[in-house]
Structure formats: C-alpha cells, structure tokens
Amino acid sequence: MAQSLLALARPAGTRRPSSRPDAPRVEVATDAPRPGVVEFLLDADALDATSVALAAARADVVRIVHSAALPTVAAVGALVSVLDDEVRAVGRHRHEVRFVLEVETVVAADEADAARRRTAVAYAEAFAGLTWAPSSTWLVAPLDRITADAAALAARTGVDTVALALVGASRRHAAVLGA
C-alpha cells in the first residue's frame, strides 16, 4: 500500500532541508504526551493517503516509525517529501509541523561491541522469516557517536528530529543523550 503513496515523491536529490531550526536534531523518545500538541503516528498501520493528508492538515508533530512499509532511509526520505508537499498543499507552512523519525537505538561499549551486536541481531533476523530487516534501521554505536549518527540520519531523511528509542540496557544513557 505504501508503494503508491511513496511514488508521488519528488526525484532523489531534491529533498528540502528541515525548516525547523528551533527543533532539536536528536532527542530521546518518550511515551509521555505533550499537552496541547497534536501528534500523528505514521507506521505500517497508518501509512495511507488519508492518514498522510490528515497529518499534514492537523498535526503539530508527525512521528514516523520504520516498518515493513518504511524499511529504509530512502523510503523515509520519500515519505518526508510527500509530507512536505502535503503540508504546503493544505496551505500550511513547513515550519508549523515537526517531522520526527523514531529509531531503535543500542548504545554499545565500543566499535567492536557495536559490530558484535549488529551481527547477533542480523543472525536472529535471518531465522525469523521477516519480510524486512528491522535491525538495518537501528542505530548501534558507542555513546560518543550516537548523537552524530542520529543527526546524520536526520539530514539524510529530511526529518527535523531523530528520536532515539533506547533498547534494553541502553535506557540508562537517556539522561546523557537527552541533554
């Protein structure tokens, strides 16, 4: 279903940069509702033309989550382009809506630990029979590199913010990463 929606995206290389200098490039994901903020979640269950149009018309924050329908950075970038166009089509300014990409994040001890963790997850996925590789969308890096990797991901996809959904023991780094 997402294929027809994403086919409307403008050609590669024409993505507009974020117009939200006030938005943090990286934040720690939270489930806490923000009072007075209208937030739309675009995931596999809500990735259709109607949801995208409603998000563009009404949302203060559009939260994007990788899924089988958005399995790659390129797919997220295409969705951001569609959202960008939809926001303008309904007469809103792009700075009125914040696009947030939520990414599963694992903080590794060092580069060798990061490589070991990526390998272990890829091995488990190989036997899971999934239609996509969720771990290919994860950020797995040492603490001193997570923020830079997330900011680079935001730049590649065109989102305003990457929200780090810390996995397992990585949650203990929330205070450092959220600062």
Side-chain angles (χ1 to χ4, degrees):
M1 179 176 317
Q3 293 300 70
S4 59
L5 177 67
L6 298 180
L8 302 173
R10 70 180 73 80
T14 61
R15 184 173 309 120
R16 297 179 185 118
S18 168
S19 61
R20 297 291 308 256
D22 62 321
R25 290 300 270 176
V26 180
E27 67 185 21
V28 175
T30 177
D31 292 334
R34 295 181 179 133
V37 175
V38 177
E39 189 168 309
F40 272 71
L41 174 67
L42 293 181
D43 60 5
D45 294 334
L47 192 59
D48 56 42
T50 302
S51 296
V52 168
L54 283 171
R58 297 184 180 159
D60 298 315
V61 175
V62 176
R63 188 165 297 275
I64 301 165
V65 179
H66 282 289
S67 65
L70 290 171
T72 64
V73 168
V76 171
L79 176 60
V80 168
S81 292
V82 169
L83 284 164
D84 237 357
D85 292 341
E86 284 291 324
V87 166
R88 285 179 177 75
V90 298
R92 295 180 75 190
H93 294 281
R94 173 60 180 86
H95 68 270
E96 295 176 47
V97 185
R98 186 165 71 113
F99 298 153
V100 178
L101 174 61
E102 193 166 300
V103 179
E104 301 287 335
T105 304
V106 176
V107 178
D110 55 28
E111 205 49 58
D113 183 42
R116 183 188 58 75
R117 288 171 183 258
R118 283 188 209 100
T119 300
V121 173
Y123 181 79
E125 282 176 346
F127 293 100
L130 302 174
T131 58
W132 70 296
S135 67
S136 68
T137 63
W138 290 18
L139 287 176
V140 181
L143 182 61
D144 62 351
R145 211 181 77 220
I146 287 285
T147 303
D149 287 359
L153 178 61
R156 284 195 321 271
T157 58
V159 299
D160 300 306
T161 304
V162 169
L164 305 174
L166 298 169
V167 176
S170 296
R171 290 185 192 105
R172 72 175 184 256
H173 299 288
V176 173
L177 292 168

